[in-house]
Amino acid sequence: MFAPSGRAPDKGWPLPANDPITTSVARREGVTVLTVGGEIDLATAPTLEAAIADVLTDDLPALVIDLSPVQFLASAGLQILVATHEKVSKAASFAVVANGPATSRPIQLTGLDEVFPLYPTLDDALIAVGPG
């Protein structure tokens, strides 16, 4: 049986991985910025953890995780942010950028904005954690 589009109907689970997360690393004003895009959930969390682990191999004065391009942030992503804060904050400055309801709302609802610094823009985070 075919769907009206002429394609075979969707078989359901597991969901196809059409929208994996993307990560990129940049240095801005002496700060390492890890920008993440896509959806952070249980399926994509290992990719985020690996990207953070790669960044943490360097001796960082400061780390900003920019979630601005993220469209969905599940509890798995929140746990990774807390764990990263615990690892990084002993030796470096740490901040998270979240400017939309998909990212800032879960962080604020869970009270994590009281655990690690949360900023609406990358520029705000860079000013806060950058060399002063």
Side-chain angles (χ1 to χ4, degrees):
M1 176 184 260
F2 286 94
S5 66
R7 297 187 339 235
D10 185 10
K11 303 248 190 254
W13 293 94
L15 294 174
N18 292 339
D19 294 316
I21 67 170
T22 59
T23 60
S24 64
V25 178
R27 301 249 185 219
R28 291 207 31 206
E29 303 169 28
V31 176
T32 299
V33 178
L34 174 63
T35 302
V36 184
E39 297 183 0
I40 303 172
D41 56 22
L42 196 57
T44 60
T47 303
L48 177 58
E49 286 179 309
I52 292 170
D54 286 347
V55 168
L56 294 181
T57 60
D58 298 333
D59 187 23
L60 304 175
L63 172 63
V64 172
I65 298 181
D66 184 358
L67 301 177
S68 299
V70 170
Q71 295 133 1
F72 178 75
L73 178 61
S75 61
L78 296 173
Q79 291 171 341
I80 292 169
L81 293 174
V82 170
T84 302
H85 167 70
E86 290 174 357
K87 287 179 197 171
V88 172
S89 64
K90 294 173 186 144
S93 298
F94 176 73
V96 174
V97 176
N99 62 0
T103 53
S104 62
R105 184 166 166 83
I107 291 169
Q108 292 168 336
L109 284 175
T110 56
L112 292 178
D113 58 329
E114 300 293 325
V115 174
F116 51 77
L118 180 65
Y119 297 94
T121 69
L122 180 56
D123 287 339
D124 290 339
L126 291 172
I127 290 167
V129 303

